[in-house]
Amino acid sequence: MPVDPVTPVLQPQKLVVERECCGNILLEGNQPGFLIWESDVQSNVTVTQISVYCDSSSTDSLQLEIDGEEKRNMYVPVGNTANFIGQGVHTISISSKGNTTMSLVEGKYVITTTLQLKENNHLGNENKNGGSSLE
């Protein structure tokens, strides 16, 4: 059936969301690694940028485990910053590389995520019978 030129076709809107989180890192002794970020959002495109700084007063390097479409490990040497940008990241965990009883690791992190949320199939263009208003 041809499209009525008077009735516009409703295009699904794509909602793009950008979020940033940041925080301090303090690992002492044999403290186990822990999760600092997790995504539980269904999206079409996810881009995540991670910046982590390991303070120059730290006794060990920081280790990041980035889990997503691929699993990656990154090390941040004492007094340095490491950066990562990638797609499909689900979780980010952090731990001390040395992890001895005398370890003291301090640092900071910033994580920025850009999401294109999945389209809503129900955009208000359906009639009461469940069919499209263009039918």
Side-chain angles (χ1 to χ4, degrees):
M1 178 173 256
V3 175
D4 182 358
V6 178
T7 307
V9 176
L10 295 176
Q11 295 294 323
Q13 294 183 349
K14 296 181 180 176
L15 180 61
V16 176
V17 178
E18 185 172 302
R19 293 288 182 244
E20 182 177 277
C21 68
C22 58
N24 296 315
I25 300 165
L26 176 62
L27 297 167
E28 298 178 293
N30 287 331
Q31 181 178 344
F34 58 94
L35 193 67
I36 60 171
W37 184 86
E38 180 175 25
S39 175
D40 190 23
V41 175
Q42 296 294 320
S43 62
N44 291 330
V45 177
T46 304
V47 177
T48 305
Q49 179 175 344
I50 306 158
S51 296
V52 177
Y53 169 69
C54 183
D55 194 273
S56 58
S57 64
S58 297
T59 59
D60 287 312
S61 298
L62 282 170
Q63 178 177 347
L64 275 86
E65 183 177 294
I66 303 163
D67 192 13
E69 293 172 3
E70 295 180 16
K71 191 173 245 185
R72 296 199 144 191
N73 287 310
M74 291 179 61
Y75 297 99
V76 186
V78 173
N80 287 280
T81 301
N83 297 289
F84 170 83
I85 187 166
Q87 288 186 317
V89 176
H90 301 296
T91 62
I92 302 169
S93 298
I94 199 158
S95 61
S96 168
K97 187 175 179 193
N99 203 17
T100 65
T101 57
M102 300 302 290
S103 293
L104 176 63
V105 180
E106 294 182 85
K108 297 184 180 294
Y109 68 90
V110 176
I111 301 169
T112 305
T113 304
T114 303
L115 307 166
Q116 180 184 36
L117 300 180
K118 289 194 174 183
E119 298 167 2
N120 186 350
N121 293 331
H122 306 287
L123 296 173
N125 62 341
E126 294 183 353
N127 64 28
K128 293 179 184 177
N129 296 327
S132 170
S133 60
L134 300 175
E135 296 179 338

